[in-house]
Amino acid sequence: MIRVERLVKDYPMAGGTVRALHDVSFEIPTGSLAAIMGQSGSGKTTLLNLLAGLDGPTSGRYWLNGRDVSGFGVVDWSRERNRTIGFVFQAFNLLPTLSALGNVELPLVYRRVPPRQRRERAQAVLEAMGLAHRAHHRPTELSGGQQQRVAIARALVGDPPLLLADEPTGNLDAETGDEILNLLAALNGQGRTIVIVTHSPEVAARCRMVLQMRDGRLLPTAGGVGA
Amino acid sequence: MTWADSLRTAWAGMWSSKLRALLTMLGVIIGVAAVITLVAIGNGASQAVASRIETLGTNVLFVTPGPGTPFTTRQVAYIRDNTPVARVVVPLLNSGGQLSVGTSTLSALVVGTTPGYQALGAIHLAAGRFLAPADLALNRDAVVLGANVSQALFGGGNPVGAHVSLLGQRFTVVGVLQPVGQGPGTSQDNSVFIPLPVAQFLLSTQKLSAVLVGASSPLAASQAQDLLTNLYTNRFGSASSVTVASEDQVLATLSATRATFTNLLAGTALISLVVGGIGIMNIMLVSVTERTREIGVRRAVGAVPEDVVLQFLLEAMVLSLTGGALGVGAGLVMVRLAPVFLKTPAVFTPSAVVLAFVFSTLVGLVFGLYPAVKASRLHPIDALRHSG
């Protein structure tokens, strides 16, 4: 699903560049439940941004879903994210002016799905998340766990093969966080590739594959390529 | 994202913060309302000028002596003899004068003339009669009052048969004219008409202020104008010793001045529209900053930069066009109210609405573009990381 080779990312800073990623290479097979683990500053978020095409690498190559996406531009990546990648954020990132349903619809809006169809599809996904009764509520009227499930519904609505989750339990209490992890595990059980970025060993322990980052490098330890 | 979706998003965005949207639009609302109202007032003034032309008709020529030109009652016969196309030739002697009835006094334009004046077609009697041939033949002290004069001295009552004091003489009111309306200068409403020989006697002069020449058609008037101009230029050796011009020519100059005035008003109003546009740009820039995270989320789920441009540009357009529509509404109300509160005529023109809409569209486009492009250039990562 994901293969990267010698990925390097430099950031220009006052007084020279800072290398956030050093020659990172790995492969995450389709159907994996993988964790990218590391302390803050380890380069895990930088890596996630590169995997999502939100930022471009300084050098290195990247194959996503069997295609070489190394040379993708801004518009290519927008399309790719829309079709191939579902996003789950730590802070949920739901749009406050839209209802749960409106938020879930969003990827389909940019895919130009006609309103009636996308509404039906969004409603179905919300139902699957057990939130059918909350479809017309604003995010502020929902609990943290509910908001994250709406966000997961938004990530799933376009049926992407890959789910990228950035600290998906970071803003939730332990119990709710567990529910979300169970949900992600269940989605992985349905064949979806899921990559979770986390600093928490408990979360990483739930994953069958753990990529450990430190100081912008991948450590060849702690489980390594399991599965 | 389709246009319909962008439009829906833009509308929802505006609706979710109604007060702010209203305040943002206020500049455009005021600008558009001002354009419509001021253009209407300008048109109203121009039409008042036009209606004044109607009072004497476009076929009437004014033959006016320059300073020092001997111009007496004999000119009436001279003009009549030399201008076969003239339908009526009427002498005028104008003077200011005080009228008094009992203790109330009033200054008015005193016009000494002949019964022929009525044949120019500008006289509409409210009561009584106009000057008659017998008034002139017998040097009767008869007077016909303009509507305002009658109103001021006699209120709503019928003054026919009453006496007024004018130029030290006691006159009998024989008729009252209907009101003409507004217009520049002293109109017929503020005039009183007395027999020419009486006026010449009381003012101790044989001179005339002007001779009016009524023709039966604009072509005849034009022919008469050429003829008389030649005649008087030859007779006095100078084109400026006697002026021959139709009233509409005199008033055309006035209209041009009015038009300049109207354009100036409209220009001022358009400036306020531009100021309104700057207000929209300001709020859109604030909005882009506030919604940085939203932009990041939209980019993350697949929005291309053009989608973001379209969204914010349409939002600015929705603001300016809604403002424009509200401004048109406010303008229409003001056009209705202007005659009541400002005592000026206001004539609504659809073209002002078109002008206002075109400009508010342009304002939305021009001032919405920069914030929209700025939004689309935000880096998605920075946008997602943005707090708030």
Side-chain angles (χ1 to χ4, degrees), chain B residues 263-344:
Chain B
N263 291 341
L264 210 66
L265 288 179
T268 312
L270 288 178
I271 288 171
S272 74
L273 253 181
V274 171
V275 174
I278 293 170
I280 286 184
M281 178 154 80
N282 187 24
I283 279 298
M284 289 309 296
L285 285 172
V286 171
S287 179
V288 168
T289 306
E290 279 177 353
R291 289 154 67 191
T292 298
R293 215 185 174 111
E294 170 183 338
I295 295 163
V297 171
R298 288 182 184 273
R299 292 294 308 279
V301 302
V304 295
E306 287 81 72
D307 288 325
V308 178
V309 172
L310 191 63
Q311 181 190 338
F312 280 90
L313 194 56
L314 278 178
E315 230 172 283
M317 300 280 294
V318 164
L319 280 173
S320 71
L321 280 176
T322 309
L326 292 176
V328 168
L332 290 179
V333 171
M334 279 159 73
V335 169
R336 285 281 177 93
L337 294 182
V340 180
F341 290 104
L342 299 176
K343 309 276 184 221
T344 55

Side-chain angles (χ1 to χ4, degrees), chain A residues 202-225:
Chain A
E202 290 86 36
V203 173
R206 300 281 305 262
C207 299
R208 279 174 283 137
M209 177 182 176
V210 178
L211 302 166
Q212 189 109 41
M213 301 279 301
R214 183 176 297 163
D215 298 331
R217 292 170 209 276
L218 198 60
L219 300 184
T221 55
V225 178

Side-chain angles (χ1 to χ4, degrees), chain B residues 142-164:
Chain B
V143 64
V144 176
L145 305 180
N148 289 350
V149 177
S150 168
Q151 180 69 32
L153 293 178
F154 296 99
N158 184 357
V160 174
H163 299 288
V164 296

Side-chain angles (χ1 to χ4, degrees), chain B residues 126-212:
Chain B
R129 59 173 177 82
F130 196 68
L131 301 174
D135 294 330
L136 274 79
L138 301 173
N139 283 337
R140 278 188 193 144
D141 295 328
V143 64
V144 176
L145 305 180
N148 289 350
V149 177
S150 168
Q151 180 69 32
L153 293 178
F154 296 99
N158 184 357
V160 174
H163 299 288
V164 296
S165 172
L166 171 64
L167 302 172
Q169 193 81 14
R170 206 171 80 127
F171 280 79
T172 306
V173 177
V174 296
V176 178
L177 302 183
Q178 283 182 7
V180 175
Q182 305 97 332
T186 316
S187 86
Q188 183 178 291
D189 292 347
N190 297 316
S191 306
V192 298
F193 297 86
I194 59 176
L196 179 68
V198 175
Q200 284 177 327
F201 173 74
L202 290 174
L203 293 169
S204 319
T205 178
Q206 284 302 303
K207 284 190 158 187
L208 294 177
S209 304
V211 173
L212 299 185

